[in-house]
Amino acid sequence: MTIWTSLEPASTTVDPGSSSTVRLRLRNTGDVVDEYRFEAVGDVAPYVTVEPPSIRLFPGTTGIVELTFAPPRTPDATAGPHPYGVRILPTEHPAAGTVAEGNVTFTTFMEVRAELVPQTVKGRFRGRPKLAVDNLGNTSLTASISGGDNSDQLSYEIVPSNVQIQPGRAAFVDATLKPRQITWVGQKQERPYGLSVRRSGYEPLAVNGTYVQRSLLPLWMMTTLSLLLALTITGVVLWFTYKAPVRTLAQEKLQQTAATALPEEPPEKPAEKPTQDAAPAEEPKASDEGDGGDKEEEEEKAEEEEKVERGPLPLTSEDQPNLFVQFAQVRLVEGAGGCKLTEAHAVGKLDAATEKALKCFQQAHDSEFGDFSRLAENDGLGNLGRSTMTALLAAHWVDATSVPLKANEPNPEVPWARNVLLWGTQAEIDDGDLASMVKYTKANIDYLAKRVQLKENPTQRDTNRIKEYQGLFGAEQNGLLDNTTLKKLQLGWIKAQNTAGTVTAKDWLPAPVE
């Protein structure tokens, strides 16, 4: 052994989101000049920076390097003690390398976000909102859910009423609101209410919503019934009051005054009807034989005007084979959301087999996440639109809680992130967007089909794109692909949810790759 080491201190504590420094003293106990390189090891290695990364020491001399611990304020920095090590590698005597071991403790922080979907529910007898609770802290969350309103006009059924959520995970709570009194007639009533997430030692987190209670008999229906009843009564009264008298036109037969009746006149002979042999009158001919053709042309023109031109999105079975449907096929062949494309299919064509697998993915997705997922509603069942494409791309990270992207470090996740964020943030696809989509969709297909990975360096533009996407759903714009951002991508959340999106790019649609 030609190295002596000492960590000062051997144990330290750091708050996620801040930093702490530990000194490593190193002495060259050998008899030659040597250079030592340092490398952090252990679960917390991604959060450790060693400065300087290497030092050169003469025999008998001592050097100092600093270890900086900077865990992010995310669920990945789990609260509690974490052992770590610094591997020391001598250049002249590699076999004499050693590992200096220490311990760092991440303090606990609690961060909870709750969201009502939808925020306004309507009904005559009940409303059924859902509450999503996200644990963005670094320790397990145990909480109870309760409901209330100022006027005590609603009763609440909450299932489950208690939740336990691991760091970086979410729980979904079903709530049923019932009015204590039924509104029979009149205008609809808006009843504000709130659901509270209660944690021991913390203030309750309240989420406010509105229940719109409709009357059993709407005002327009009561008005219509009242008018019909009034008209009926008026008609009956008029019938009995002004009943028309009936007068007979029959007259009594005059008595004959003569003993003998006068001879009756012979009946008149009916006029002869024209025979069938008579030539029928000549029917007028059409003044212009071309009128019928003009009429048909006008009808066809009217039908064409009534047709609504279909936009470029979403992609349907009517579209030509293309690169994006080819990606969906490759993704579904691998499997996504419990659905697989196993039947024979035409590459890049949204045929019957592909449409069946897409429907399975959309329905399974909507069934699992309820109102938080709207793939079929946004894109149409069996179609490939912006929401479904975003969810299919994000299925690449189905088991991940975060995706770290370090500057100046090539990363195979960058092509996936750039592609899925383009589909999530761009409601209008121009030439530049399409060129990037084509490049990264081809890279994604190469990975799924051939396990060939394209690695690129993340840039500030990527961070800004992540912040733009986080702003769509009101999350903290930290520029990180954290658990909340990944969940929204997997749910298929996009900019301008209720629109299909437009395309201004000239070369739409790109052909599939061979």
Side-chain angles (χ1 to χ4, degrees):
M1 177 75 67
T2 62
I3 309 171
W4 173 86
T5 61
S6 174
L7 286 170
E8 301 175 355
S11 297
T12 187
T13 301
V14 61
D15 297 326
S18 61
S19 62
S20 179
T21 302
V22 173
R23 288 187 172 185
L24 171 63
R25 292 184 179 274
L26 175 70
R27 180 182 300 162
N28 182 358
T29 60
D31 53 3
V32 297
V33 178
D34 208 341
E35 183 177 3
Y36 302 92
R37 292 181 292 108
F38 307 96
E39 179 182 313
V41 295
D43 294 339
V44 300
Y47 313 136
V48 182
T49 304
V50 183
E51 289 292 339
S54 65
I55 59 173
R56 188 177 182 84
L57 296 178
F58 288 92
T61 59
T62 301
I64 298 176
V65 297
E66 290 188 346
L67 311 178
T68 302
F69 297 87
R73 189 178 173 84
T74 65
D76 298 324
T78 309
H82 299 273
Y84 71 91
V86 180
R87 183 181 291 118
I88 305 169
L89 302 172
T91 303
E92 299 296 332
H93 301 90
T98 186
V99 176
E101 297 181 348
N103 191 76
V104 60
T105 300
F106 294 164
T107 60
T108 300
F109 76 91
M110 187 73 73
E111 185 175 346
V112 181
R113 180 178 292 121
E115 180 183 3
L116 270 174
V117 178
Q119 194 170 15
T120 300
V121 291
K122 301 177 181 180
R124 292 181 174 85
F125 303 105
R126 63 184 58 84
R128 292 190 175 93
K130 287 180 179 289
L131 179 68
V133 184
D134 294 292
N135 182 7
L136 305 181
N138 66 347
T139 187
S140 178
L141 167 67
T142 301
S144 62
I145 315 298
S146 61
D149 55 280
N150 294 332
S151 55
D152 196 26
Q153 294 177 335
L154 302 173
S155 63
Y156 302 85
E157 294 180 8
I158 300 174
V159 179
S161 58
N162 296 282
V163 293
Q164 187 168 10
I165 312 172
Q166 296 302 315
R169 298 292 181 181
F172 300 96
V173 178
D174 295 322
T176 302
L177 317 176
K178 294 183 178 179
R180 299 188 185 278
Q181 292 183 349
I182 296 176
T183 302
W184 294 94
V185 181
Q187 297 285 351
K188 58 186 178 183
Q189 302 290 327
E190 292 189 357
R191 307 196 185 281
Y193 72 95
L195 298 182
S196 298
V197 181
R198 299 182 179 274
R199 301 160 288 165
S200 177
Y202 294 88
E203 288 293 325
L205 175 62
V207 184
N208 297 322
T210 303
Y211 171 62
V212 179
Q213 183 180 359
R214 295 169 173 164
S215 60
L216 190 61
L217 297 176
L219 187 61
W220 65 267
M221 183 180 292
M222 290 300 300
T223 303
T224 303
L225 292 176
S226 300
L227 289 174
L228 289 175
L229 181 60
L231 291 173
T232 303
I233 294 175
T234 303
V236 171
V237 171
L238 291 175
W239 172 261
F240 286 103
T241 304
Y242 300 100
K243 185 176 180 182
V246 179
R247 181 171 60 87
T248 180
L249 297 178
Q251 297 180 355
E252 295 182 358
K253 187 179 179 180
L254 297 176
Q255 299 292 333
Q256 294 181 351
T257 55
T260 59
L262 294 174
E264 296 181 357
E265 296 180 359
E268 295 181 359
K269 185 177 181 180
E272 292 184 0
K273 296 181 179 180
T275 61
Q276 295 180 355
D277 296 335
E282 184 176 339
E283 295 181 358
K285 295 183 179 180
S287 60
D288 189 357
E289 293 180 358
D291 289 344
D294 293 343
K295 186 175 182 181
E296 292 178 358
E297 291 179 1
E298 291 177 358
E299 291 177 353
E300 291 177 359
K301 186 176 180 181
E303 290 177 359
E304 291 178 358
E305 291 177 352
E306 290 177 357
K307 292 181 180 178
V308 178
E309 183 179 355
R310 188 179 66 83
L313 287 171
L315 303 180
T316 69
S317 58
E318 299 178 5
D319 290 302
Q320 62 188 17
N322 60 84
L323 181 68
F324 303 130
V325 172
Q326 183 184 13
F327 167 78
Q329 292 171 334
V330 177
R331 173 77 270 177
L332 289 168
V333 166
E334 287 282 315
C339 300
K340 295 195 72 172
L341 175 57
T342 57
E343 301 178 13
H345 55 276
V347 175
K349 178 66 177 174
L350 215 166
D351 53 14
T354 307
E355 185 176 354
K356 179 181 177 182
L358 267 181
K359 287 181 179 179
C360 173
F361 175 75
Q362 291 171 325
Q363 291 171 335
H365 206 269
D366 291 353
S367 175
E368 180 180 359
F369 298 108
D371 293 337
F372 293 92
S373 170
R374 289 177 285 183
L375 303 189
E377 179 181 346
N378 287 347
D379 299 337
L381 198 58
N383 297 334
L384 182 61
R386 293 187 298 129
S387 282
T388 306
M389 191 70 178
T390 300
L392 284 171
L393 285 164
H396 175 66
W397 300 308
V398 65
D399 296 323
T401 57
S402 66
V403 179
L405 302 176
K406 292 186 177 181
N408 301 321
E409 187 174 307
N411 194 324
E413 304 301 331
V414 171
W416 288 93
R418 288 175 177 170
N419 201 8
V420 71
L421 289 168
L422 276 170
W423 284 96
T425 60
Q426 301 305 300
E428 178 179 310
I429 300 173
D430 57 22
D431 289 321
D433 298 329
L434 181 60
S436 298
M437 287 176 174
V438 169
K439 174 184 176 181
Y440 296 121
T441 301
K442 289 180 178 179
N444 301 150
I445 291 175
D446 284 342
Y447 173 76
L448 293 173
K450 307 173 186 177
R451 289 300 184 263
V452 177
Q453 291 188 342
L454 172 66
K455 296 182 180 180
E456 293 189 349
N457 290 330
T459 64
Q460 183 60 40
R461 185 175 182 181
D462 298 321
T463 302
N464 295 338
R465 183 81 75 182
I466 296 172
K467 290 181 179 180
E468 178 186 355
Y469 183 75
Q470 291 169 332
L472 298 179
F473 49 89
E476 178 187 358
Q477 294 179 321
N478 54 23
L480 303 174
L481 284 177
D482 52 18
N483 185 67
T484 301
T485 307
L486 292 180
K487 287 298 181 185
K488 292 298 183 181
L489 288 169
Q490 291 162 6
L491 287 171
W493 276 61
I494 57 174
K495 183 178 181 180
Q497 292 263 27
N498 299 325
T499 60
T502 58
V503 176
T504 60
K506 296 178 181 178
D507 296 330
W508 186 266
L509 281 161
V513 295
E514 297 182 358

